[in-house]
């Protein structure tokens, strides 16, 4: 994580330098004899590049604070670590469950209803409620009940 924080600080510095270069460039281009106008800053690009630098700085600050609060090195930061050292439990997923497919279909129907006709969204929401209840309670009844 310390490497990630350093990379984001470098990225933030790059974007702030690019923002300054963009301001200078826009002033030079707008002050050219062909433009025949007073020098002015192009604000959209200036603000966008500046905010990108600010976002990179925020991410770098956050990652740096998290790294310091952990009190130890992550496996990704150690040179002698194995791949399995950073392998965490990701959760439990049923390989035989059909409920996620029904849930995705209901989401597709809901968004289709938003695009085509609102009456389709009501059908999609109803199927969504049925499928989310079925997915949550699939281990409470039937063949795989606990």
């Amino acid at each position: 994580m310390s490497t990630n924080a350093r990379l984001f600080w470098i990225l933030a510095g790059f974007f702030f330098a690019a923002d300054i270069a963009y301001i200078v460039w826009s002033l030079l281009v707008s002050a050219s004899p062909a433009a025949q106008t007073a020098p002015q800053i192009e604000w959209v690009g200036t603000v966008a590049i500046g905010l990108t630098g600010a976002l990179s700085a925020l991410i770098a600050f956050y990652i740096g604070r998290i790294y310091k609060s952990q009190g130890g090195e992550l496996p990704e930061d150690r040179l002698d670590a194995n791949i399995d050292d950073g392998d965490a439990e990701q959760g439990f997923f049923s390989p035989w469950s059909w409920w996620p497919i029904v849930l995705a279909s209901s989401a597709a129907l809901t968004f289709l209803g938003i695009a085509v006709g609102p009456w389709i969204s009501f059908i999609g929401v109803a199927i969504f409620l049925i499928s989310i209840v079925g997915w949550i309670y699939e281990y409470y009844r039937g063949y795989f009940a606990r």
Side-chain angles (χ1 to χ4, degrees):
M1 281 179 73
S2 63
T3 305
N4 292 340
R6 273 188 244 121
L7 285 173
F8 273 106
W9 279 121
I10 291 168
L11 194 63
F14 167 77
F15 278 117
F16 288 135
D19 196 28
I20 292 169
Y22 190 81
I23 291 170
V24 170
W25 190 296
S26 68
L27 287 174
L28 289 175
V29 168
S30 65
S32 68
Q36 297 179 356
T37 59
Q40 57 186 10
I41 296 174
E42 198 279 311
W43 287 105
V44 175
T46 302
V47 171
I49 296 172
L51 287 177
T52 305
L55 179 64
S56 298
L58 285 173
I59 293 172
F61 177 75
Y62 175 76
I63 291 175
R65 295 293 295 167
I66 294 298
Y67 174 71
K68 292 203 188 295
S69 70
Q70 283 177 346
E73 295 281 325
L74 290 176
E76 293 86 7
D77 293 330
R78 293 190 343 239
L79 295 176
D80 63 338
N82 293 324
I83 294 174
D84 291 340
D85 292 341
D87 191 20
E89 178 68 32
Q90 300 296 321
F92 175 74
F93 304 99
S94 301
W96 55 80
S97 179
W98 288 90
W99 289 111
I101 297 171
V102 178
L103 193 65
S105 301
S106 68
L109 269 179
T110 303
F111 285 110
L112 177 73
I114 292 171
V116 176
W119 63 273
I120 300 174
S121 293
F122 295 120
I123 297 170
V125 168
I127 295 173
F128 172 81
L129 292 174
I130 292 168
S131 61
I132 198 75
V133 168
W135 196 15
I136 290 171
Y137 290 110
E138 74 179 330
Y139 285 107
Y140 290 93
R141 42 178 287 188
Y143 184 69
F144 300 105
R146 293 183 182 180

